[in-house]
Amino acid sequence: MNDSKMSAWLNSLMACQACDLRHEGNLGPVRFSGDASSPLMFVGEGPGGVEDEYGVPLVGPSGKLLDKALWSVGLTRDHIYVTNIVKCRPKNNRTPTLEEGKRCANIHLVKEIELVQPKVIVCLGKVAFQYFYGRTASIMHNRGKWFEYEGIPVMPTYHPAFLLRQTGHELVESKWQVYYDFKAAAEKAKEAMPDFTFKSPEKPDLLATYAELQKSRHIQQ
Ligand code: URA
C-alpha cells in the first residue's frame, strides 16, 4: 500500500460531492478503519449514526458484534481493513439502493481495493454482495461460498445488524454460520500472508482510537 496515494484518495473522498447522499443531513463521508496494509478487507453497507459521528465504519452496535466475531477467529479490528459500500450516511439509516451503492463504490471502493490489494474480501450483507454480483445475488443462498472479484477471493456472509435482529434458535445458528465464514476468510488470508500480524493481545477501543477524528468532524461543520 502506497501512503501518498492513500492520503490522496482520502482527500478526494472527503471532498466528494458526486451524489445526493452527501446532502442527506450527515456529517460527511466516512473513511475506512484499521490497517490499509492488511490482506483482509471487510465491506459493510453504509454508515449509521455512530459511524457518521466518528467518521469510521462499524463502530456502533453492529460494529461491537463484528469485533466479537472477529476476536473469536483470531482477528482484531486494528489489523484488518473495514470499509463500506456507501460512504455517506443515508437519511434515517435507510438501506442505500443498488444504484447509490454502485455510484459510490465505483468511485471509492474500487480505488480502495486497488490501493489496499486485499487477499480476501468479506461482504457483510446484501448491499455489499449485490454491489459485486448484482441485484439477484442472495446472501441466504450464497453465504459461506467463495466467489471472485478481479482475482480476489470474496466471501459473502450475514451483516451483524441481521444477527442483532435474530432471536432464539435462529440467532444461535446464524452466529455459528458467521463464525465459520469468518474462520474460513481468516485462514485464507493467513495462508496468503503468513507473516502478517492479525491479532492484538486485546481488542482495541475504536471509539478512543478515533476520538480526534470525531472532534474534527464537528469542527468542520
Ligand atoms: N452498518 C454498516 O454496514 N456499516 C457501518 O458503518 C455501520 C453499520
Side-chain angles (χ1 to χ4, degrees):
M1 194 267 312
N2 178 315
D3 282 343
S4 64
K5 285 191 178 163
M6 194 68 186
S7 53
W9 167 69
L10 270 175
N11 288 339
S12 76
L13 171 67
M14 290 309 148
C16 185
Q17 298 279 347
C19 79
D20 292 341
L21 274 180
R22 177 69 189 84
H23 307 290
E24 291 204 6
N26 49 57
L27 293 174
V30 164
R31 41 168 282 167
F32 68 94
S33 74
D35 183 352
S37 59
S38 178
L40 200 41
M41 175 182 278
F42 282 70
V43 184
E45 176 180 311
V50 187
E51 291 77 17
D52 187 39
E53 170 81 20
Y54 277 82
V56 280
L58 285 150
V59 288
S62 289
K64 290 216 170 74
L65 186 54
L66 173 67
D67 292 357
K68 272 195 200 164
L70 292 169
W71 180 263
S72 72
V73 298
L75 302 169
T76 49
R77 280 288 288 274
D78 46 343
H79 295 294
I80 63 170
Y81 186 98
V82 179
T83 191
N84 278 318
I85 291 289
V86 300
K87 307 304 189 203
C88 294
R89 182 193 186 193
K91 198 169 188 151
N92 301 324
N93 291 344
R94 68 177 176 80
T95 304
T97 64
L98 186 57
E99 289 67 32
E100 288 170 329
K102 279 198 172 150
R103 198 177 310 131
C104 186
N106 284 345
I107 300 172
H108 296 300
L109 181 65
V110 290
K111 192 73 199 169
E112 291 174 277
I113 294 173
E114 185 191 314
L115 291 168
V116 174
Q117 297 187 356
K119 302 289 184 248
V120 174
I121 297 175
V122 177
C123 291
L124 297 171
K126 179 181 101 171
V127 171
F129 190 40
Q130 292 191 346
Y131 167 70
F132 289 103
Y133 300 104
R135 199 177 294 282
T136 54
S138 151
I139 287 279
M140 290 292 169
H141 291 117
N142 293 301
R143 64 134 283 278
K145 297 182 187 160
W146 285 109
F147 291 77
E148 213 183 88
Y149 169 78
E150 312 237 320
I152 305 166
V154 174
M155 160 86 74
T157 192
Y158 297 132
H159 192 286
F162 171 77
L163 299 186
L164 290 173
R165 293 193 297 271
Q166 306 276 96
T167 53
H169 174 70
E170 270 94 24
L171 174 62
V172 175
E173 195 178 333
S174 2
K175 274 192 175 171
W176 275 110
Q177 288 170 325
V178 168
Y179 169 79
Y180 285 116
D181 297 348
F182 279 19
K183 196 162 172 281
E187 276 164 10
K188 208 179 253 304
K190 284 173 187 172
E191 267 166 35
M193 261 204 207
D195 295 333
F196 188 80
T197 301
F198 286 89
K199 192 178 191 184
S200 292
E202 288 185 16
K203 276 195 217 136
D205 178 346
L206 291 179
L207 296 187
T209 308
Y210 294 106
E212 287 305 313
L213 185 57
Q214 179 210 15
K215 277 191 217 145
S216 72
R217 282 171 81 76
H218 285 277
I219 292 163
Q220 278 158 21
Q221 285 305 297

